[in-house]
Amino acid sequence: MSITNTPTSNDACLSIVHSLMCHRQGGESETFAKRAIESLVKKLKEKKDELDSLITAITTNGAHPSKCVTIQRTLDGRLQVAGRKGFPHVIYARLWRWPDLHKNELKHVKYCQFAFDLKCDCVCVNPYHYERVVSPGIDLSGLTINNSAGHSSPMIVKDEFDFDGQQSLPSIEGGHSLQTIQHPPTSSRPPPSESFPTPNLLPPTEASTSASMSSFPAVAAGSGNATSSWSRNGNGFTPTIPHHTNGHLQHHPPIPHPAHYWPVHNELAFQPPISNHPAPDYWCSIAYFEMDVQVGETFKVPSSCPIVTVDGYVDPSGGDRFCLGQLSNVHRTEAIERARLHIGKGVQLECKGEGDVWVRCLSDHAVFVQSYYLDREAGRAPGDAVHKIYPSAYIKVFDLRQCHRQMQQQAATAQAAAAAQAAAVAGNIPGPGSVGGIAPAISLSAAAGIGVDDLRRLCILRMSFVKGWGPDYPRQSIKETPCWIEIHLHRALQLLDEVLHTMPIADPQPLD
């Protein structure tokens, strides 16, 4: 659609939104894009100069210089639109410039005074005040959002295996808070002439590429992804010689390669253990569920078995193998029975280092994972996405150091919010220096409401076999899926116990 008359800040919100909608890149659903733009225009209605700057920047594709376009920074730095949370500068950069943008790819221009990274009370969301770069902290190869047939932009789609052996046709559903993010295996290795530079300790020929993002080099996570291995002993964890690891978000089986590696260029290669507390006897425990009912006993995996297989066969379970086929349930329905038949070889869970976890899908059908680590890497709020792991894909789903940092941050936030809340009740209203610089009681109440259960969720993975859940599917919760597992990570729970002893969280107390 062509725009003959560019609106100004004096025009009605509807006219401005309509004009700005015409310049969106199509990476998000129309419903989400409209709500995001409406929200921004309403916030800027009282700041006419900034609204005019936004209109100029968008309608001229950045051809003319424009000022910062700012909104208030929230407590956690994220903006909620249509039930979805994300970093505000990323949301609007995706809308108007790069629909396939990852959150770690943005770098602000020098003249931007309120860039997200500057941690000001206000955040600039002018898409033309940011440049796109490939971050050294994320591997973009293989991380894609479901595409509908014939559509080049990421969209929310339904894509699930039907039991008659046919793949269901995708259907677009916009405006949901949850998305299914695909993690397919890499179909083939690139020839040597097309290989990209690879990260520390990776064989040069194992750079992972994907058709949708072949223009970006495969780079490893620079934070919290130690490349050294760790051996368990009675006194805890001790570092050993670095072992072969796939880079961050490598979604294919490792390919045998002569033992030569890239040189180490950072101090993260030999990281000390997070805690000197002795390693737990079991590195994880796995509970199997059918719908909302646990079936069978919880299966504990010894620390001497860093790799465990969870499959659908009927062999006796033990050690490094949990067989779901031999578990009985008097309330099992025909639909659950059919789903169980498709678990097949299931999945392999691998504990690396002090407590990082990787998943390999051995089944002929995809598995669906709830992972706060993958949420963060995809630029989503915790619990804001379901991750579809395709057959043969091999992917990191949990990072112990990142989890530990998140525990400490949330516990500290809860403590500070509780103190500020108590001050507010006593009549001492906190100022700009309080929790996140936000004073309203509702924000304090939400932050102070963080409890032990919220922190425990950081230490848990959930995985559904064959069937997905969320707004893209008939099932809204994993507890409505026919067969799924819950994995409790013991080293992470150990660290949580330490955090709570040094930074205890009182029971949440609502404001009067």
Side-chain angles (χ1 to χ4, degrees):
M1 178 185 291
S2 62
I3 307 298
T4 54
N5 295 317
T6 302
T8 69
S9 57
N10 293 319
D11 288 314
C13 286
L14 191 62
S15 301
I16 299 172
V17 170
H18 176 75
S19 174
L20 297 179
M21 279 285 287
C22 294
H23 293 271
R24 68 188 180 95
Q25 295 300 305
E28 298 284 1
S29 68
E30 184 175 352
T31 302
F32 178 84
K34 187 174 182 180
R35 289 196 188 179
I37 295 172
E38 283 177 345
S39 172
L40 180 58
V41 170
K42 288 177 181 177
K43 286 183 173 74
L44 298 174
K45 209 49 178 150
E46 300 303 317
K47 298 189 282 188
K48 293 186 178 296
D49 57 334
E50 293 188 21
L51 181 53
D52 282 325
S53 288
L54 175 69
I55 295 169
T56 299
I58 302 306
T59 57
T60 65
N61 294 324
H64 298 296
S66 53
K67 301 177 182 178
C68 285
V69 177
T70 62
I71 61 174
Q72 185 71 35
R73 181 184 289 270
T74 59
L75 182 64
D76 64 355
R78 300 172 191 265
L79 177 69
Q80 181 161 324
V81 178
R84 238 173 78 185
K85 293 187 85 174
F87 296 115
H89 62 311
V90 176
I91 290 176
Y92 293 107
R94 281 176 182 160
L95 276 181
W96 284 309
R97 296 195 71 182
W98 307 287
D100 60 346
L101 178 73
H102 188 279
K103 68 182 177 68
N104 285 7
E105 293 181 280
L106 286 182
K107 177 183 178 182
H108 64 271
V109 295
K110 292 182 179 179
Y111 53 82
C112 183
Q113 298 177 330
F114 297 95
F116 182 83
D117 292 337
L118 297 181
K119 308 294 184 185
C120 301
D121 288 341
C122 291
V123 179
C124 178
V125 295
N126 186 337
Y128 292 94
H129 277 204
Y130 295 89
E131 297 172 342
R132 186 174 188 176
V133 296
V134 176
S135 165
I138 190 71
D139 172 11
L140 297 174
S141 58
L143 178 61
T144 58
I145 298 180
N146 293 5
N147 288 355
S148 60
H151 199 292
S152 61
S153 302
M155 304 198 75
I156 302 173
V157 304
K158 182 186 293 184
D159 184 11
E160 183 174 22
F161 177 80
D162 289 332
F163 290 126
D164 60 5
Q166 301 296 320
Q167 195 77 8
S168 61
L169 293 175
S171 62
I172 301 169
E173 299 179 29
H176 292 307
S177 61
L178 204 66
Q179 280 190 352
T180 303
I181 298 178
Q182 295 191 13
H183 301 270
T186 300
S187 57
S188 62
R189 286 174 58 183
S193 61
E194 295 179 13
S195 295
F196 293 114
T198 49
N200 300 337
L201 302 182
L202 282 182
T205 56
E206 289 199 12
S208 173
T209 60
S210 74
S212 62
M213 292 186 174
S214 58
S215 59
F216 299 105
V219 283
S223 60
N225 189 11
T227 51
S228 59
S229 62
W230 298 80
S231 62
R232 293 173 173 80
N233 56 44
N235 297 323
F237 294 83
T238 56
T240 60
I241 297 173
H243 70 293
H244 170 81
T245 63
N246 281 45
H248 172 60
L249 290 186
Q250 299 286 319
H251 307 137
H252 57 92
I255 302 167
H257 191 276
H260 60 275
Y261 300 91
W262 292 103
V264 178
H265 294 298
N266 60 56
E267 68 277 7
L268 294 178
F270 294 100
Q271 291 189 356
I274 299 173
S275 168
N276 292 323
H277 196 283
D281 293 333
Y282 300 92
W283 71 264
C284 79
S285 56
I286 306 170
Y288 170 65
F289 292 83
E290 292 176 0
M291 308 295 278
D292 59 350
V293 176
Q294 181 174 348
V295 177
E297 299 292 327
T298 298
F299 182 80
K300 293 184 177 181
V301 184
S303 293
S304 58
C305 299
I307 299 178
V308 61
T309 301
V310 182
D311 60 43
Y313 299 128
V314 295
D315 300 310
S317 298
D320 62 353
R321 188 178 177 196
F322 185 20
C323 296
L324 306 178
Q326 47 89 25
L327 298 176
S328 60
N329 178 11
V330 295
H331 301 294
R332 184 171 294 152
T333 64
E334 186 179 346
I336 294 174
E337 195 65 68
R338 286 201 307 270
R340 281 167 51 84
L341 293 175
H342 292 277
I343 296 174
K345 295 179 181 178
V347 296
Q348 222 174 45
L349 304 173
E350 181 175 2
C351 181
K352 287 189 177 185
E354 192 178 351
D356 295 352
V357 179
W358 292 64
V359 167
R360 188 190 306 277
C361 182
L362 304 176
S363 174
D364 292 334
H365 310 299
V367 294
F368 298 80
V369 179
Q370 183 181 71
S371 160
Y372 288 171
Y373 170 77
L374 289 178
D375 291 343
R376 186 182 182 92
E377 295 306 303
R380 307 300 296 270
D384 204 27
V386 177
H387 301 268
K388 184 175 184 179
I389 313 299
Y390 280 79
S392 299
Y394 180 54
I395 182 172
K396 184 176 183 179
V397 295
F398 180 81
D399 187 288
L400 185 68
R401 289 183 182 274
Q402 182 196 88
C403 177
H404 185 240
R405 285 194 300 270
Q406 202 166 352
M407 287 176 195
Q408 291 176 314
Q409 290 168 0
Q410 289 196 16
T413 299
Q415 269 200 333
Q421 186 187 74
V425 172
N428 302 318
I429 305 299
S434 64
V435 186
I438 303 251
I442 187 66
S443 299
L444 295 176
S445 181
I450 297 173
V452 176
D453 286 344
D454 297 295
L455 298 179
R456 280 181 61 84
R457 290 190 190 99
L458 301 175
C459 312
I460 295 172
L461 296 169
R462 286 177 161 185
M463 183 183 306
S464 170
F465 295 98
V466 185
K467 289 291 186 178
W469 77 94
D472 302 333
Y473 299 97
R475 298 159 295 279
Q476 299 306 300
S477 162
I478 194 172
K479 293 184 178 181
E480 297 173 29
T481 61
C483 41
W484 58 282
I485 55 176
E486 185 171 84
I487 305 144
H488 290 241
L489 304 173
H490 293 186
R491 185 60 172 173
L493 290 167
Q494 227 179 28
L495 296 179
L496 174 59
D497 192 53
E498 290 185 11
V499 168
L500 293 176
H501 274 91
T502 57
M503 201 180 297
I505 299 176
D507 292 332
Q509 298 293 329
L511 286 175
D512 294 333

